[in-house]
Amino acid sequence: MRRQRLKTLAVEPVGPYSLVRVERGGLEPGEPGQFFMLEAPGRPLPRPMSLCLAPPGELGFLVDAIGPGTRALAALEPGDELDVFGPLGNGYRLDVERPLLVGGGIGLAPLPYLAERLGHPPAVLGFRSDRHAEAAALLPGAEVVVEPRLVTELVDPGMDVLACGPEPMLHAVAALAPRAQLAWEAPMACGYGACYGCVVEIRGALRRLCVDGPVLDAADVTEREAAA
């Protein structure tokens, strides 16, 4: 992992989200499901972002501008500089035989890069509205549902599920597919375990999601539910 100050190449609308593209510099893209800490100008704390796309010479991050930090990232202009630190955390294991990618809302973010690394396996995506579903263009060929339909209606438990999305969706996926790999979100200020802002309970022990995750096995999720 390295920290670099990189230039913004473009910020492109993708439905209600923003695809922030920055130069790669000397950073490696890492494994799908790992994340980077992005620090926008004028913001005191960075924001953790999954890598969405990794074309040659670039890193792409899908941002949902819902707070001051993410709004600052979405407002970047070409040529603006920002500090990028990563890759961090543990990503998805890629040694799966029958991968099925499952995403909900902004949980789509790590799946395009994951799909590229796995040879574009089948994928199912769920969104809250038709406008949010426009982001499915980042993952061509995916099956898409919009509320009130649930993405779990399309999950085949016999597949090797790799998922990212809101917590209720991940719990539902864990119940359907006990061998699934699930990418979780938590507040983070550092990204490498120093601040303890992302602590969760796993198998009865408090663990830092940025170090032990963000990708967890579904078995760990069910342990969290049993301990709650």
Side-chain angles (χ1 to χ4, degrees):
M1 58 184 178
R2 299 180 59 185
R3 185 189 304 272
Q4 278 200 287
R5 193 163 184 81
L6 303 176
K7 286 186 179 179
T8 304
L9 299 175
V11 177
E12 302 167 353
V14 185
Y17 309 119
S18 297
L19 181 65
V20 179
R21 296 168 45 207
V22 302
E23 62 183 2
R24 185 177 296 189
L27 298 182
E28 295 296 328
E31 295 299 321
Q34 288 188 292
F35 66 96
F36 291 75
M37 300 297 288
L38 275 58
E39 186 174 335
R43 300 305 309 167
L45 293 175
R47 293 294 183 271
M49 294 288 160
S50 299
L51 183 64
C52 182
L53 296 169
E58 295 184 20
L59 300 172
F61 303 94
L62 191 64
V63 175
D64 189 7
I66 57 174
T70 48
R71 285 197 294 268
L73 291 172
L76 290 167
E77 299 283 348
D80 287 347
E81 295 185 337
L82 71 160
D83 288 323
V84 181
F85 179 40
L88 299 160
N90 295 308
Y92 294 99
R93 299 186 309 278
L94 305 183
D95 57 342
V96 292
E97 295 182 359
R98 301 179 63 208
L100 173 67
L101 311 189
V102 180
I106 191 63
L108 161 70
L111 301 188
Y113 179 43
L114 176 61
E116 178 185 341
R117 291 288 301 274
L118 288 174
H120 302 283
V124 295
L125 304 173
F127 297 95
R128 73 179 71 171
S129 71
D130 290 336
R131 182 156 187 266
H132 287 84
E134 292 175 21
L138 293 171
L139 201 59
E143 292 188 74
V144 177
V145 297
V146 176
E147 291 184 4
R149 289 195 69 195
L150 301 176
V151 71
T152 46
E153 297 175 25
L154 302 178
V155 172
D156 180 350
M159 302 285 281
D160 295 305
V161 175
L162 303 95
C164 184
E167 186 165 332
M169 187 204 86
L170 295 182
H171 283 296
V173 169
L176 285 171
R179 295 182 294 110
Q181 299 178 54
L182 312 173
W184 292 77
E185 292 185 357
M188 296 181 189
C190 69
Y192 52 86
C195 71
Y196 284 76
C198 62
V199 169
V200 297
E201 186 171 346
I202 300 174
R203 297 185 182 273
L206 296 178
R207 308 285 286 274
R208 295 162 295 176
L209 194 61
C210 67
V211 175
D212 295 297
V215 178
L216 302 175
D217 291 332
D220 291 327
V221 175
T222 55
E223 285 284 344
R224 287 179 62 190
E225 288 184 314

